Amino acid sequence: MAEFIVAIELGSSVFRGIAGKKNPDGSITVQALVKEDATQCIRKGVVNNIDKTATCLKNIVAKLSKTMKQNISHVYVGVGGQSVRSVRNVIVKDLPTETIVDGDIVDGLMDSNRGMDYPDLEILNVVTQEYKVGNQYVVDPVGIKGTRLEGNFLNIAQRKLFYSNLNEAFDKAGIAIAEIFPAPLVLADNVLTESEKRGGCVLVDLGADTTTVSVYHKSLLRHLAVIPLGGNNVTKDITALKMEEREAELLKLKHGSAYTEIADIDPALTYSIDGERTIESKQLIELVEARVEEIVQNVWHQVPAEYVSKLLGGIILTGGGSNMKNIELAFKKYTHMDKIRKARFVNLAIKSNIADINKHDTTLNTIISLLAKGDMNCAGGPIVHQQSTGTDLFGQTTTTTTTHPTTNGEGGTQPPAPGPTPAPEPTPAPEKSGFFSKLANKLKGFGGKILEAEE
């Protein structure tokens, strides 16, 4: 049976699905990539229409199954958007005099953190920051003697309503979830270098409706936030120049610039909108720059003050919004950080014949990272084809092929029960009842009547 991994990314306006396999040499082969417009079912990365979300998910799995020629038993899911955030938490345990910290004490502290009950949040992941034994901060406290142990944790949480809606949508679609990953963490593992994480950096994922900010220092995630602003806000601002959103998006992609030096502005330059109308280049520059500045300032505001001077790795940009012209210059101007890098592709060996994968244009970094994170075979067995025979209106024998994916009772799909497939009974050769035989007999009869009339 074929083996492959399947992942689905719930973006801020688009759902993407991917299928591929891990090779013995450590590389990954991407075999299928599909997407579905999710503007009618998700808003800023948060599910708000369960039925339409379920339909989108079904379509993605159906497309992937068709390409892979296999049913899909379960999928890995990456979530982000405005529902995801980080919450700091401190757990303290007083110890008897002269106690040496052991693994059980540390595990107990971690369990207490995991058991935190937030009113409207569900914990997806926990990043341990450091421990404090007495006045000493350490990464691993096991073996150290003390009377008080403090654990500092960064909980990656998701709104309970979104978590509930997400699971309901997958249940409604009949798709089993292998595991849910916080997409920003998985992305960071595959676009940031170890030196960037260690020295301190800010990863900025510029999406369509949201911008995700992840702050790293000493190889650990220190802060995660999602801003409800993205590339679509720039497009909507351009519509103020009296044009439709489709025209505004094309104008942004063709002529938009995140930052333009004053000396480079041509007051006489105009751009055509629809062949009849034009707008001044200066107007477009002012609109785009104003919104980009707002986004960058909000990004920078999310960096905790204690880490502003500890970002030796600089700022790393990724996501579709990072493809805007001069985006690096805009970040340099408004953050006063000189070290800006654009992560065009993941730090993985990827093999694929898919053109969009090989573009390396920053837009698929998250979905590829989710594929790399999965480690369970998602293939559910071959798609079953059944044939049936019958006759048409003219007495001709017809054969119909029907595809029947089978379910595993948990929302996924599986192959049919093993056993020999009975051979189809032979179809008898058509006699006088066949279409052409009937037609020939009718013509003969008609010819005979003509001859009788002439006599």
Side-chain angles (χ1 to χ4, degrees), residues 246-258:
R246 179 183 59 82
E247 296 169 330
E249 179 69 13
L250 291 174
L251 196 64
K252 180 188 76 173
L253 294 175
K254 189 173 183 180
H255 301 292
S257 175

Side-chain angles (χ1 to χ4, degrees), residues 86 184 202-205 211-216 221 223-227 295 298-304:
S86 66
V202 181
L203 174 61
V204 183
D205 184 6
T211 298
T212 305
V213 184
S214 305
V215 180
Y216 282 82
L221 176 68
H223 182 66
L224 173 66
V226 180
I227 301 166
I295 292 173
N298 273 276
V299 166
W300 195 237
H301 180 72
Q302 288 300 325
V303 180

